Amino acid sequence: MGGLTRPTLHTERLRLEPITDGHTDDLVALCADPEVMRFITGRALTRDEVVEEWMPRWTREWPRGLGYWAAFAGSGFVGRLALRPEGADAAELGWRLAKRAWGNGYATEGAAALLELARRRGLVRVWAETMAANVASRRVMEKLGMTYERTYVGEWDQPLPGWEQGEVVYAVDATTWRAGRSG
């Protein structure tokens, strides 16, 4: 299964395209918003940081046809979603949405499509993590049917506000997939 490519995925309202260099301007704009990056880096990223540090990861071919997708509602870019492999049969799920797209259910809808892809690709566990203070992302995880596993306090070079509350991990396994569930 290592040779599978990332498919373009469609939901009721979203189109998820495998990230290419053609998405650079949208991704730079996304990461330039300090509110979007508040729980990730604590600050806006520069164009050079996105292009040099993040784009190589987002555009590479990952095993099992997993990786990173640019999300569009109609013709408008709404964010980036990820299903990054961790080991032979697990993956980390993630999302980063433009502020104008918040509150519309796009994170849940896009992440549910990636959970379904994980199921089809034979993964047995998908997990996601965020800062405990990130209530909105925790709610998405719960809507996806993921369950809380643990909280830990990581080491930060430059701690973000709320770091002392820790990082939370939520997960779902193959016996309890609830892809497509929203609430």
Side-chain angles (χ1 to χ4, degrees):
M1 289 190 121
L4 295 175
T5 59
R6 286 172 291 155
T8 296
L9 302 171
H10 299 273
T11 70
E12 184 177 322
R13 300 177 300 156
L14 298 175
R15 183 180 72 260
L16 305 179
E17 299 176 358
I19 291 179
T20 66
D21 288 336
H23 298 110
T24 299
D25 289 342
D26 287 329
L27 292 162
V28 166
L30 177 70
C31 296
D33 185 333
E35 287 189 70
V36 170
M37 301 303 291
R38 173 179 48 183
F39 295 114
I40 302 164
T41 61
R43 64 175 179 80
L45 298 179
T46 67
R47 180 177 191 84
D48 286 346
E49 286 174 314
V50 173
V51 170
E52 294 169 15
E53 297 173 29
W54 295 81
M55 287 300 292
R57 178 187 317 175
W58 293 343
T59 57
R60 76 175 266 212
E61 288 299 319
W62 291 84
R64 299 177 91 116
L66 306 180
Y68 295 82
W69 285 262
F72 294 86
S75 61
F77 175 80
V78 295
R80 182 219 36 104
L81 285 97
L83 188 60
R84 189 173 55 83
E86 289 284 333
D89 58 5
E92 179 183 10
L93 180 65
W95 49 87
R96 185 176 304 174
L97 296 183
K99 187 176 176 188
R100 69 184 175 285
W102 292 357
N104 292 301
Y106 293 141
T108 305
E109 187 173 331
L114 292 182
L115 281 176
E116 175 59 22
L117 178 65
R119 187 192 62 75
R120 289 193 323 259
R121 296 289 164 91
L123 299 180
V124 298
R125 182 174 185 275
V126 175
W127 60 275
E129 74 176 76
T130 190
M131 290 182 66
N134 189 346
V135 176
S137 281
R138 293 180 74 170
R139 181 73 182 123
V140 170
M141 294 171 196
E142 292 164 358
K143 286 180 180 181
L144 292 166
M146 302 178 97
T147 55
Y148 168 83
E149 286 191 340
R150 66 187 177 104
T151 300
Y152 70 94
V153 177
E155 294 185 26
W156 295 81
D157 292 335
Q158 298 177 343
L160 305 177
W163 71 271
E164 66 282 349
Q165 296 174 46
E167 296 273 328
V168 292
V169 177
Y170 284 70
V172 64
D173 64 41
T175 61
T176 57
W177 291 118
R178 294 184 204 166
R181 177 178 167 225
S182 61

